[in-house]
Amino acid sequence: MRKALLSIFFAASLFLPSGPLFAFPDTERVGVTGSDPPFDFGFNDTVTGFILKDDRTLLASYGETLAVIDMADYALAADQPPPLDVDAGTDGRLASMAYSSLKDRVYAPQDDGDCLVYDLADITIEPVTVVIAEDSVLGPIAIDNNSLNAYIINTQDNSVNVLDLSSLTVDSTITLSILSVASFEVTAAAHNFLTDEIFFTTDKGVVFYMDAGGVSAATIAVDPTHVALLSSIAVTPNGAYVYVTNETDNTLVKIDANAHTIVADDIDLSENPGPTGIVITEVTRPQSGTGNAVYAYIGGSKGISVVNTAGDEVLDMGTDPAVSGEPLPTSAVPHKLVASSVTDGYVYTANATQTVSVITADPWVTVSSLTYSSGGSSMGIGESFTIAFQADETGTAVIRAGGDVSGSGTALVDNTGASSWTVPTADTDVTVTFNYDDNATAFEEGENDLFVFVTDSAGDRGRIATTLNVDTPPPAPGILSTGFGNGRIYVQFERLDVADMSEYRIYVDTSAAAVLTKTEVAATVAQASSGSSQEGEVAGLTNGIAYYIAMDAVDTGGNVSTTRSNTLPNGAVAFDVPQATAGPCELAGEAGCALAPLSKKCCGWIPVITFLLIIIFMLSLRGAKRRGSLERFIRFARNGLLVLIVLFVALFYPALSVASEPSSQWWSMEVKTGFWMPKSANVKNFFGDCCNLITRVQGGLLVHGRYGVEQGVGFFMKNGDAVGTITGETSRDRFNFLLIPLETNFTWRIDYWTWDYFLPYVKVGVDYWFFRENLQGSVTKGLKYGVHGVLGGQMNMKVFSEDAIEGLDTDMGINDLFLTFEAQYQYINSFGKTGLDLSGPVFSIGILFEF
């Protein structure tokens, strides 16, 4: 039937001018659903937006859905936008749509006053919601040059809302009005790149136009009586003219885009009444030699009318010689139209039946079957696939892997060495077989686009895409480096960027030759989701023995690398020798100890006695405070050893007390952090000379604001690499080292002046540091004790804001707030015993609160 229709069409065309004859499109191919148009992509509502992002990607909006369609194989794309959702604030019917190629985004106004912004670089994420006009119904949209602004119609007040596409804010609102017309509807919008103007059509015979970035709009009166429904608009590829469909008069109107004047308003579309959609595109036939033509395709109730814009002639696409200007008949009424590039040569229509049709002069190509020699669902090394395809015209076929609809992929060679094939008969299968080994470089692991191109005798090339699955063994991963541990070795290797990678297998053996054929897997490592390298560990080995290493990889299909890797990047054979490893504790000979309170080995009596002394001091201080004098405090606490210390510091430098009365502070709390610089060569080997951050909190009791006792606790943790006990080299074994330093301070603060903005102080005290080292699951823990001395100074924050400090006193009971600076030297080696030596200076800065 189609060929008969074409024969009549070409016979009728002999009466037309010979110039444009070559550029006529073929009719759509009407065939079985799923292989021929019209295609059903699941649209369940009227299509409101219809855009080609490129020759392959079609975007269609309907209801509350944006669909992405792959026009290479005429199927929904694998990645689709998420459904619109009330909770996400994206719900609402899509009223129209515009695409920015510069930003690779789609802008879709809705019927609730919002505009959704879809990022096509990641279409699966939620679109951004931009409020344009709350609770309003939005309509047509257009985007200006350089994608600076979008111009969105608010249908309730016929205003143009100018959306800044960088900030996604509405910059301005421009009201459209028609003299003597109370109400009207804006029906369509278009942008002219040449003049950078926005055009709007209406249902009252008026076309609005405005400069991009302008503040007002002018009008072109197509119908002075204001009854004509101007339903759609399109701009010629060179920007010189604007064409508008007049649905009331069944005519096409041509407007000079520069002069804004009507060139023709009576281009007759009466043979295709009710024109509702238009697209204008360049068309060409390669063998003509007469250049391209520009055709307008207009959808109406009877099909597609074709107008040669060179003379505004409505071409006769029908079968009745007695009727001129007949449209190209279609099986569904076209509603919206888009066109691919001149080199691709397709026009797509969104139909009233919620389907999509295809108009093209190119051969229509379909794939009948694709099978694999393995009998499975993919092709591997040494295997082949067979494809059967057909075209509705005779011609020459080429099959390419990868690339896109332009034919940029790699041409395949069949099992006879041929790279092209004749299609001798229309609508008859051509069957070709391809070996993987002959085309290995053309394929990628996983899914491959396979394009079948057929070129007819006129030079028109049709195409179809299908999916070819390739499943080959992964290559062996390169071994980047090796490392040793205690009874184990580590292997760092390259992460393969292969779509179906599953895991990596590590083999070890004492023989460099045997490891290449060994069947026993020493360790497996799952494919990581990202990164360029991974690391595996083989445990249960004997220290002191050299183990050679080899690796292969396995994909999700169970395919194993055909070879094993066993060399390093420098070409050396990969091996390593396990040996015992040591962290700070092991290298220092620290055995740790039980943490029972009275453990002799840990000297647990030191913190116990210190704690008792603090309790005596606190009780004594409480009694002294209740009695109100230092003498009563001494009598109350005369049986405590701590009283001797307090008496000593209370009498120290009494001559300095002549300048002021003692302050009333009784409590203090300090938070400080600083750098610990260990002096033991063993500890520095793991932690370095400087800048090990240690944080501490101290709380204390004060006598006369000058003398006191403090208890503090701190925190320090560091991870590092253990070292080999034999070679001293850095291993791949890791340790975690935790310190919780506890300390008791006896403090003398030199607070003898009425001027108290900076006060020096001295501290001495005892330390008992809890340590815990975890070396690959082996834990060493215990206590180290010692003494320390501190020199410091505290700067009263009144220097910066006395009012703020007084506010703290009122609100929180804080008398003073100080910034502290101090240098501390600590001897933490259990008074010379073997094991860890944690001695060294600590330089700190902190905040001191006094209550």
Side-chain angles (χ1 to χ4, degrees), residues 576-592:
D576 222 305
V577 182
Q579 61 176 293
T581 56
C585 289
E586 290 77 12
L587 204 62
E590 177 63 61

Side-chain angles (χ1 to χ4, degrees), residues 147-225:
S147 295
L148 297 178
N149 298 297
Y151 301 81
I152 304 171
I153 292 294
N154 180 346
T155 64
Q156 291 182 299
D157 61 7
N158 290 320
S159 62
V160 181
N161 292 266
V162 182
L163 176 65
D164 185 311
L165 297 186
S166 295
S167 64
L168 294 180
T169 57
V170 176
D171 277 354
S172 61
T173 301
I174 301 166
T175 300
L176 304 180
S177 62
I178 302 175
L179 188 64
S180 302
V181 176
S183 64
F184 60 92
E185 178 185 346
V186 176
T187 56
H191 170 252
N192 186 346
F193 77 93
L194 180 66
T195 61
D196 200 14
E197 291 177 319
I198 312 298
F199 290 82
F200 299 102
T201 56
T202 69
D203 65 346
K204 299 301 181 185
V206 169
V207 176
F208 289 96
Y209 66 93
M210 57 179 290
D211 292 330
V215 296
S216 62
T219 60
I220 302 171
V222 174
D223 176 16
T225 65

Side-chain angles (χ1 to χ4, degrees), residues 519-531:
T519 58
E520 180 184 356
V521 179
T524 59
V525 181
Q527 170 78 339
S529 59
S530 61

Side-chain angles (χ1 to χ4, degrees), residues 185 187 201-205 223 226-232 244-251 275-276:
E185 178 185 346
T187 56
T201 56
T202 69
D203 65 346
K204 299 301 181 185
D223 176 16
H226 302 312
V227 297
L229 169 57
L230 309 181
S231 54
S232 59
V244 175
T245 58
N246 184 337
E247 192 172 342
T248 303
D249 293 344
N250 296 317
T251 57
T276 58

Side-chain angles (χ1 to χ4, degrees), residues 562-591:
T562 56
T563 60
R564 292 181 183 176
S565 56
N566 71 327
T567 58
L568 297 171
N570 62 5
V573 175
F575 78 97
D576 222 305
V577 182
Q579 61 176 293
T581 56
C585 289
E586 290 77 12
L587 204 62
E590 177 63 61

Side-chain angles (χ1 to χ4, degrees), residues 622-668:
R622 181 182 178 187
K625 182 178 180 181
R626 187 164 54 243
R627 287 161 176 76
S629 70
L630 181 60
E631 291 78 9
R632 289 173 182 163
F633 159 61
I634 295 172
R635 287 198 299 271
F636 183 80
R638 59 183 178 273
N639 294 324
L641 178 61
L642 190 58
V643 173
L644 298 177
I645 300 172
V646 175
L647 284 173
F648 173 77
V649 296
L651 296 173
F652 196 79
Y653 285 127
L656 297 176
S657 64
V658 297
S660 68
E661 292 297 323
S663 66
S664 60
Q665 267 83 330
W666 279 93
W667 303 90
S668 70

